Amino acid sequence: MTCNRSNKTKESDMSRSVLDEDHIHPAIRRSIADKHADIVGEVQAAVAGSKVVVVGMAQNPFPRKACKALDALGTPYKYLEYGSYLGQWRRRNALKMWTGWPTFPMVFVKGVLVGGASELQRLIDSGEFSRMMAD
């Protein structure tokens, strides 16, 4: 079985395994493409329209940690919340499949997924977040 290896970064030859379309029966391709496309589209639009986007869910303390860290810096951000631990998990799964990031929050800075709350805090602590925002 082959994997799509078209997702590359400038710094490395990082790729994610994605099932090649040739290995998906034509009768179900549209169903896969359309599955929860609205939630992915909403996040894509937010990422395109805001410098910082935090995608979270209710009851999870980590999106709140990310928001608190941004609030402490006075950084404006857009927050999108999708359900809780028991609600909307199928819709959130579409975001996990789209990004490859397994947990919430998903933090985007200038269109780049930087990870979750811990990864954001590391970027802030190292000064990388400020450099990203200044570019």
Side-chain angles (χ1 to χ4, degrees):
M1 189 168 299
T2 62
C3 296
N4 179 349
R5 302 236 183 239
S6 62
N7 300 335
K8 295 183 180 182
T9 65
K10 292 177 185 174
E11 296 171 0
S12 71
D13 193 16
M14 186 211 102
S15 61
R16 283 187 20 224
S17 293
V18 177
L19 185 61
D20 190 64
E21 191 170 324
D22 293 339
H23 291 98
I24 299 172
H25 193 278
I28 66 166
R29 287 181 187 157
R30 177 62 27 214
S31 176
I32 290 171
D34 292 344
K35 194 73 169 176
H36 302 302
D38 61 322
I39 192 172
V40 173
E42 187 175 338
V43 173
Q44 287 173 322
V47 168
S50 302
K51 284 186 177 181
V52 180
V53 176
V54 178
V55 181
M57 56 184 273
Q59 300 172 330
N60 183 331
F62 294 98
R64 285 192 300 277
K65 287 181 183 183
C67 292
K68 272 184 147 177
L70 293 167
D71 288 341
L73 295 174
T75 302
Y77 58 92
K78 179 161 184 81
Y79 180 70
L80 300 172
E81 184 174 277
Y82 297 105
S84 64
Y85 284 105
L86 300 176
Q88 297 188 35
W89 67 268
R90 285 184 179 97
R91 288 175 44 80
R92 285 193 309 276
N93 244 6
L95 295 174
K96 291 178 179 186
M97 290 187 292
W98 170 60
T99 63
W101 189 250
T103 61
F104 288 92
M106 295 175 179
V107 181
F108 295 85
V109 178
K110 289 189 156 181
V112 176
L113 175 65
V114 299
S118 300
E119 292 76 18
L120 173 64
Q121 190 61 58
R122 280 196 288 277
L123 289 176
I124 291 169
D125 293 345
S126 72
E128 176 72 15
F129 179 79
S130 294
R131 287 190 291 279
M132 289 177 77
M133 293 298 288
D135 289 339

